[in-house]
Amino acid sequence: MISTEMSEDPDRPSILETYATLPGVPDELLDARGNIRPSWHALINHLQQLGPEDRERGFSRGAQYLRDAGIFVRNYGEGASPRDWPLSPIPVIQPADEWQALASGLAERADLLETVVADLYGENQLVANGHLPASLIAANPEWLRPLVGVKPASGHFLHFLAFEVGRGPDGGWWVLGDRTQAPSGAGYALENRVASMRAYSGIYNQANVERLAGFFRAFRDGLNAARQEDGSRVGILTPGPLNDTYFEHAYIARYLGMMLLEGDDLVVDNGRLMVRTVSGAKPISVLWRRLDAIWADPLELDATSRLGTPGLLGAVRSGSVTMVNALGAGVLESRAMLAFLPKLSEVLHGKSLAIPNIATWWCGGQTERAHVLANAANMLIGPANSTHLPLEPEPGSVLKGDMSKMEGSLETWLSEKGRDLVGQELVSLSTTPTWENSALAPRPMSIRVFLARTQDGWHLMPGGFARLAANSQDPSAVSIRRGGSVADVWVVSDERVPEDSMLMQPGEVFVRTSPGLLPSRAADSLFWLGRYVERAEGLLRLYRAYVSRRPESPPGGTPLITSLEAYLSDRGIDAGQGIPDMIGKSIAMAVNSANQVRDRFSVDAWASLADLEQTVAEMRERVFPGEDAAAAMGVLLRKITGFSGLVHENMYHFSGWRFLTIGRSLERAMAMSDLLAAFAEWTGSQGGFELCVEVGDSVMTHRRRYSVTASRDTVIDLLALDPLNPRSIAFHINEISEQVSKLPGADVNGQLSDLARAVLRIQSDLAVRTPEDLDHDALVALSQSIGLLTNDIHAQYLG
């Protein structure tokens, strides 16, 4: 057991010596008397017992995990670049009994929100009876008229919610904002937890911290139970890799074992939502959207959307798909709704909200305007239908009555624009410790908590995603983009917490499930990932061969050097660069392709590819043509082959791996055909045979196989016709043939597909060739035939 007493070691200064709470503001670590709260004892005692180096070593483990996982904050603006995920190494700790009270209050609030949104898209009695202003709802861009009268297939509008909460001056919880559209952050909460487990490996398992896996398992099981028929799937709809939170979408999809889909992956057929896969269109009956509703269907909502699926609303109306959350639920997120929810709770449920929200006044009424005007010095006044938190002022807002950036007086503004404005009381958030300059320091904090509808009702995640202000003087800087940081949230129990995970639970019967469907878009990305990685490797070998020969050639060059420079130029390689731009571009394209299917990659594979791209960027600043470049090519080759080996050895050998392999083999076979056509001719430049063997990474094999020096016959035999050489054209055509034969639709009732037939033609033609008749023209024709396979692959699977 961990001691809950503070260390009495007189030689070790207390880590609380410089920690000073803010006057009049509740603190999560210390109570009003300055005593450590019981739930914090174990962690503070652990930190106290560690020496400075051990503390920093633990914190570094957590930070390193996040870097390896590729988590970052996307910055905006000219010249901006991503920055590391700003995780504070000190978690926010909450007692389990207090958290349970919060869970009860937020479940009550979730039921209220469900009732309100059901009325707004149903009988509309709240507006008809004057409980909600019609003009306010009609002006809300998230109130979607095409959805009026449409009942969700599941019977519920809301399934996954987030609430931004903070402690007010009395220490009680306040809701700062409701997130009902497509709440983000749950995946980051998971990653924060993994990082904090690494940082506190010495005490985490003993600290009775409630696990997060049970929450996600219950939600996953609830989504699976909502499927309407056997064989239908659950998918996660993402806007794509350019979205701020795409990493989280990919992480959650991988964690829950669900397909990550983009709008182009989906099609509506006879009122049913289908996903385009390499096996044909398959039904989707539950879709967890991480896409704002307005972009979901360009036919009925925003016609400019390139993110949605035409006809999606038709599928929703037909009841063939459950949307999580229902389209149009974002109407509940507006600031103005907070002004009415307390009263609506009394009207609809006959009681006050157990967890109140921040005091808000809609300025459309005379009484409310007068109150806001009289108390403007303590308020944020801003757009009524904004979804920003009151701690995040935006353009068009006035803070503490300051009209210096606005025209006219506050009274005139409120009078003329009152229907479009709300006033919200400014609150001082409670503070929590963060680690700064090797010491604890208090920072204002809010927590995003997550509530999921499960088969047993609403379930609050036993943890969350805390946001900390950048400094104690500016509590509005809880925004990460404004320099704030994040922290894991530990819900600590007084009793032993059982181990929990997403693995099979006791009593469950094991059944080997299908590896899952492969969307055509994902197959396309994997195919091109294989091609770009192989292309980069080929260019690295080719350029290394050039820069290692160039210093030994006379000033005017040799015929081989001249030919090689022209060959490189044809492939976009500038022989005067240390690290040619084209190599960096090929690797960047590989990273982009991998990013499109990040949910299908392990952390190690992604980290390996990201490290390769980073290494290229660093080398371009300090590597020059010549021997330095040759050595650099060797480093990059080891890294890129390491990535290839990692993926091909560890990736599950199903359809996705097959497309990756086909892309890799197609690129290698085509590149080798081009190389042999250019340099393996009897009339070619002296040294061309050796160049082919070197670029083909077959020097040792050639020495063992042939007792003579390289000749055209030996080079063509080894690099074109030998089916056992993994660098030969024949080997990779055979590989393509094998993988194509295992793809869906390759053979239907004994009849080959067009793709399988095209591969067989190339394979058969190559099998009867000899080194003598595989001349320059035949090699050129072979390269062209291999390249044309891309068209057949696209037509059958990727279109």
Side-chain angles (χ1 to χ4, degrees):
M1 293 294 293
I2 299 175
S3 171
T4 58
E5 299 297 327
M6 291 299 296
S7 172
E8 299 296 334
D9 185 349
D11 297 325
R12 182 168 291 165
S14 170
I15 61 173
L16 292 174
E17 282 184 347
T18 60
Y19 190 79
T21 58
L22 303 181
V25 177
D27 188 79
E28 300 295 323
L29 171 61
L30 303 179
D31 61 23
R33 297 181 178 180
N35 297 320
I36 298 176
R37 298 182 190 275
S39 56
W40 284 83
H41 273 220
L43 179 66
I44 296 300
N45 192 48
H46 170 74
L47 291 173
Q48 177 65 36
Q49 291 175 350
L50 295 175
E53 292 183 359
D54 291 332
R55 279 198 294 263
E56 295 300 333
R57 189 177 299 113
F59 297 161
S60 295
R61 284 197 300 269
Q64 186 62 51
Y65 167 78
L66 295 170
R67 286 192 293 271
D68 291 344
I71 310 175
F72 60 85
V73 177
R74 190 190 301 276
N75 291 333
Y76 295 88
E78 185 176 353
S81 59
R83 66 184 178 98
D84 289 343
W85 185 245
L87 179 67
S88 167
I90 308 297
V92 175
I93 297 182
Q94 298 295 317
D97 55 347
E98 293 185 21
W99 199 256
Q100 186 55 47
L102 180 65
S104 177
L106 292 180
E108 175 188 279
R109 188 179 185 87
D111 287 336
L112 174 62
L113 293 172
E114 174 74 31
T115 304
V116 171
V117 72
D119 178 79
L120 290 177
Y121 288 99
E123 297 180 356
N124 206 21
Q125 291 299 304
L126 294 176
V127 171
N129 295 332
H131 299 301
L132 283 172
S135 61
L136 181 67
I137 302 301
N140 192 321
E142 295 301 333
W143 186 68
L144 305 181
R145 192 178 296 274
L147 273 302
V148 173
V150 178
K151 295 183 178 180
S154 67
H156 300 291
F157 285 81
L158 303 176
H159 309 82
F160 192 87
L161 304 174
F163 300 96
E164 205 76 28
V165 299
R167 289 194 195 274
D170 62 353
W173 290 109
W174 291 75
V175 173
L176 306 176
D178 303 304
R179 294 292 177 257
T180 58
Q181 171 79 266
S184 62
Y188 291 113
L190 270 172
E191 287 286 43
N192 289 345
R193 175 57 55 87
V194 176
S196 68
M197 289 170 61
R198 301 284 179 90
Y200 295 102
S201 57
I203 70 159
Y204 179 81
N205 288 330
Q206 306 172 54
N208 296 336
V209 180
E210 304 242 0
R211 305 306 197 255
L212 304 182
F215 169 83
F216 286 98
R217 185 175 61 252
F219 181 53
R220 179 200 62 188
D221 293 347
L223 294 182
N224 286 329
R227 293 179 299 175
Q228 298 181 10
E229 58 188 67
D230 290 340
S232 65
R233 297 297 202 278
V234 178
I236 298 177
L237 179 62
T238 175
L242 296 181
N243 184 264
D244 290 4
T245 55
Y246 176 74
F247 167 83
E248 182 198 9
H249 306 166
Y251 181 80
I252 287 287
R254 185 168 60 239
Y255 185 70
L256 298 181
M258 297 176 180
M259 285 191 295
L260 186 64
L261 305 170
E262 295 182 27
D264 286 344
D265 292 326
L266 301 170
V267 63
V268 177
D269 184 11
N270 293 323
R272 297 183 68 199
L273 188 64
M274 314 288 283
V275 56
R276 297 185 179 97
T277 77
V278 297
S279 304
K282 302 296 181 181
I284 290 285
S285 58
V286 179
L287 194 62
W288 182 9
R289 66 178 178 88
R290 307 303 302 274
L291 172 73
D292 285 355
I294 194 65
W295 307 113
D297 186 346
L299 287 183
E300 297 195 57
L301 298 175
D302 192 320
T304 66
S305 173
R306 296 295 181 267
L307 303 176
T309 303
L312 182 59
L313 263 63
V316 171
R317 289 193 190 95
S318 73
S320 68
V321 60
T322 292
M323 298 295 293
V324 179
N325 291 322
L327 295 171
V331 69
L332 300 170
E333 289 192 355
S334 74
R335 280 178 178 166
M337 195 63 69
L338 297 177
F340 298 94
L341 287 176
K343 182 63 176 179
L344 291 176
S345 180
E346 296 178 359
V347 170
L348 296 172
H349 294 168
K351 58 182 179 180
S352 301
L353 287 169
I355 308 294
N357 55 246
I358 187 171
T360 304
W361 293 266
W362 177 57
C363 299
Q366 184 175 354
T367 302
E368 290 79 4
R369 281 198 303 274
H371 178 85
V372 170
L373 182 61
N375 297 275
N378 297 313
M379 286 193 182
L380 170 71
I381 306 171
N385 280 317
S386 169
T387 60
H388 281 243
L389 295 178
L391 305 174
E392 299 174 342
E394 74 232 76
S397 297
V398 167
L399 185 63
K400 297 182 179 180
D402 180 9
M403 291 288 291
S404 60
K405 297 181 181 179
M406 307 286 286
E407 294 183 2
S409 68
L410 181 59
E411 183 176 5
T412 301
W413 186 47
L414 290 174
S415 176
E416 294 178 352
K417 302 291 186 181
R419 287 180 175 273
D420 301 324
L421 300 171
V422 292
Q424 290 188 295
E425 182 181 10
L426 295 174
V427 296
S428 296
L429 296 175
S430 64
T431 57
T432 192
T434 188
W435 193 252
E436 186 175 281
N437 298 323
S438 301
L440 294 176
R443 291 290 179 266
M445 166 210 77
S446 69
I447 302 178
R448 177 166 291 196
V449 296
F450 302 92
L451 201 66
R453 189 184 293 278
T454 71
Q455 293 172 286
D456 300 320
W458 290 111
H459 188 175
L460 182 68
M461 179 193 290
F465 178 87
R467 296 194 295 174
L468 282 55
N471 58 70
S472 57
Q473 286 74 40
D474 184 12
S476 68
V478 293
S479 169
I480 299 174
R481 292 185 189 174
R482 298 184 62 191
S485 57
V486 302
D488 188 17
V489 178
W490 289 9
V491 176
V492 176
S493 174
D494 292 333
E495 301 177 354
R496 181 76 176 173
V497 174
E499 296 286 342
D500 200 358
S501 72
M502 294 292 286
L503 301 177
M504 182 183 299
Q505 300 300 299
E508 289 184 322
V509 178
F510 170 75
V511 177
R512 177 178 288 173
T513 58
S514 166
L517 299 175
L518 180 66
S520 297
R521 177 189 54 81
D524 186 49
S525 296
L526 289 165
F527 171 74
W528 281 102
L529 172 62
R531 290 200 63 174
Y532 284 129
V533 169
E534 182 58 37
R535 184 175 301 174
E537 182 181 337
L539 293 176
L540 286 169
R541 293 186 183 281
L542 194 63
Y543 188 63
R544 183 175 66 173
Y546 168 76
V547 294
S548 62
R549 285 168 171 76
R550 188 68 183 86
E552 300 174 358
S553 65
T558 64
L560 177 63
I561 289 296
T562 302
S563 298
L564 191 50
E565 286 177 348
Y567 189 80
L568 289 169
S569 179
D570 289 343
R571 280 143 189 80
I573 296 289
D574 183 350
Q577 292 181 314
I579 305 292
D581 292 340
M582 183 54 68
I583 290 176
K585 289 179 181 178
S586 297
I587 293 173
M589 293 300 291
V591 172
N592 181 64
S593 295
N595 198 31
Q596 302 290 330
V597 285
R598 193 162 178 179
D599 57 309
R600 296 174 182 271
F601 270 83
S602 68
V603 171
D604 287 337
W606 177 260
S608 176
L609 193 57
D611 176 61
L612 177 63
E613 185 179 36
Q614 180 65 31
T615 303
V616 170
E618 293 172 354
M619 283 184 171
R620 292 176 74 173
E621 302 296 325
R622 55 182 173 82
V623 173
F624 301 96
E627 294 182 3
D628 285 350
M633 295 303 104
V635 172
L636 294 177
L637 276 170
R638 289 190 289 273
K639 285 180 177 287
I640 201 168
T641 53
F643 167 78
S644 298
L646 186 65
V647 171
H648 286 279
E649 289 298 321
N650 295 345
M651 193 173 178
Y652 190 77
H653 286 203
F654 196 57
S655 295
W657 177 84
R658 300 194 197 290
F659 279 97
L660 183 72
T661 300
I662 290 170
R664 174 175 177 254
S665 289
L666 188 150
E667 188 71 27
R668 183 173 288 186
M670 188 164 58
M672 183 55 71
S673 300
D674 291 339
L675 182 71
L676 293 175
F679 294 102
E681 287 299 300
W682 288 108
T683 57
S685 303
Q686 185 177 5
F689 303 145
E690 289 76 10
L691 173 71
C692 291
V693 174
E694 179 184 338
V695 174
D697 197 25
S698 299
V699 173
M700 296 300 297
T701 303
H702 188 278
R703 289 175 183 171
R704 289 196 302 269
R705 291 279 325 267
Y706 309 101
S707 58
V708 296
T709 58
S711 67
R712 185 183 190 281
D713 284 346
T714 62
V715 170
I716 296 294
D717 182 58
L718 181 62
L719 297 179
L721 303 177
D722 192 334
L724 299 182
N725 181 13
R727 290 283 169 177
S728 78
I729 302 170
F731 179 93
H732 286 287
I733 295 301
N734 291 343
E735 182 72 37
I736 293 172
S737 176
E738 179 180 357
Q739 300 311 325
V740 165
S741 70
K742 296 177 181 178
L743 291 177
D747 185 329
V748 179
N749 298 324
Q751 185 173 1
L752 295 179
S753 67
D754 290 343
L755 171 61
R757 195 176 291 114
V759 174
L760 182 59
R761 289 195 193 100
I762 297 173
Q763 188 178 29
S764 301
D765 179 66
L766 196 60
V768 299
R769 292 281 187 177
T770 65
E772 291 78 10
D773 63 18
L774 194 58
D775 58 15
H776 173 272
D777 291 343
L779 286 166
V780 171
L782 177 61
S783 175
Q784 293 173 346
S785 298
I786 296 170
L788 288 174
L789 291 177
T790 299
N791 296 336
D792 295 312
I793 293 169
H794 189 275
Q796 184 168 349
Y797 296 107
L798 311 180

